[in-house]
Amino acid sequence: MIQACLFDLDGVIVDTAKYHFQAWRKLANDLGFDFTPEQNEMLKGVSRIESLKLILDIGGVSKTEQEILELAEKKNEDYLHFVNQMDQKEILPGVESFIQDLRANHIKIVLGSASKNAVKILEKIKLIGLFDAIIDGTKTTRSKPDPQVFLMGAKAVEIPNEFCVVFEDAPKGVQAAQAANMYAVGVGEAQVLSHADQVIEGFDGLDYGFIKSISVKA
Ligand code: BG6
Ligand code: MG
């Protein structure tokens, strides 16, 4: 039986992808090239530095490791400008009541995000108290599709991997969940998340019954 649910943050609990995109596009434009919404799709779930390296490749721009760190810092300042204006209105529909119902049914709730800004965002939207464990980009060393973030999450709440469900909006996150031997629920479009065990459009109307209906192999 499922005993823990692991949630990605960006694109699952809040729609911060649009803010990441605006900050990355500004960085690309400042460097003299454009960065499109389609190219942004590839960056979902990818860490800040790896995202920057992919963007520099797109622009055909080469930078030293020191310059890369400085550019990443600058992008994060621009991104935080948006984050600082966030509030509870930015929580995606249905996810808060879903998590509350899971908690009422003794399911452990874990955050599994690549973001180093996760705690700040959860505080801004006032959901931080709902999590039994938070594994974010300040704790991991390997980016999704590596399963590290989810393996650490399951360990933190002492639940075997096969009794965990992951909610992810990024194909790389779905891959990470499956590499961790967890049940992967894709949140978003079925074509984009075709490798997920199940795809949902969003959390509206979902409750503990959804989790109860998942049968795991173990
Ligand atoms: C992931 C996002 O959750 O976090 C990526 O999908 C982002 O787009 C990554 O690059 C790192 O985020 P941050 O907040 O540490 O720059
Ligand atoms: Mg995401």
Side-chain angles (χ1 to χ4, degrees):
M1 214 160 96
I2 296 298
Q3 294 169 27
C5 287
L6 292 79
F7 292 82
D8 174 45
L9 175 67
D10 296 310
V12 170
I13 294 175
V14 278
D15 180 18
T16 35
K18 59 184 184 225
Y19 301 140
H20 279 295
F21 172 63
Q22 289 183 57
W24 284 132
R25 181 173 239 178
K26 179 173 183 298
L27 176 136
N29 291 169
D30 288 349
L31 291 170
F33 62 94
D34 199 15
F35 174 62
T36 66
E38 292 71 37
Q39 289 164 334
N40 189 55
E41 284 302 305
M42 299 187 320
L43 304 187
K44 286 190 176 167
V46 179
S47 74
R48 193 181 309 164
I49 293 290
E50 284 185 38
S51 298
L52 175 55
K53 289 181 176 171
L54 287 168
I55 291 170
L56 294 176
D57 278 350
I58 289 170
V61 173
S62 130
K63 295 283 175 191
T64 64
E65 285 300 314
Q66 181 57 33
E67 287 168 333
I68 286 176
L69 290 178
E70 287 165 13
L71 285 169
E73 183 57 35
K74 176 75 183 63
K75 180 266 174 176
N76 197 49
E77 279 171 24
D78 291 335
Y79 176 64
L80 287 180
H81 175 77
F82 296 113
V83 167
N84 285 329
Q85 294 171 39
M86 287 176 77
D87 61 23
Q88 287 166 291
K89 289 198 286 292
E90 302 226 19
I91 300 170
L92 287 169
V95 67
E96 183 173 4
S97 59
F98 178 54
I99 292 178
Q100 262 154 358
D101 196 41
L102 296 178
R103 286 177 62 85
N105 285 282
H106 314 290
I107 300 289
K108 298 280 186 202
I109 306 296
V110 179
L111 190 86
S113 167
S115 175
K116 291 187 156 93
N117 295 303
V119 167
K120 188 180 185 83
I121 292 171
L122 288 177
E123 280 171 347
K124 294 288 296 177
I125 60 172
K126 300 194 168 38
L127 289 192
I128 193 140
L130 294 183
F131 291 85
D132 296 295
I134 293 178
I135 309 295
D136 63 15
T138 66
K139 295 185 176 153
T140 55
T141 52
R142 295 190 296 275
S143 227
K144 298 167 188 176
D146 189 285
Q148 184 191 38
V149 65
F150 297 132
L151 295 175
M152 287 173 75
K155 199 164 175 207
V157 290
E158 299 178 334
I159 302 292
N161 302 339
E162 59 271 30
F163 299 139
C164 294
V165 174
V166 171
F167 292 91
E168 256 294 347
D169 70 315
K172 286 191 176 80
V174 165
Q175 269 179 274
Q178 289 174 334
N181 196 26
M182 297 176 184
Y183 188 92
V185 178
V187 184
E189 288 175 34
Q191 302 110 289
V192 179
L193 298 160
S194 56
H195 295 292
D197 294 299
Q198 189 174 161
V199 179
I200 56 172
E201 277 177 32
F203 293 95
D204 249 348
L206 243 58
D207 61 14
Y208 175 60
F210 175 77
I211 293 301
K212 257 196 340 199
S213 72
I214 294 173
S215 62
V216 287
K217 295 148 229 157

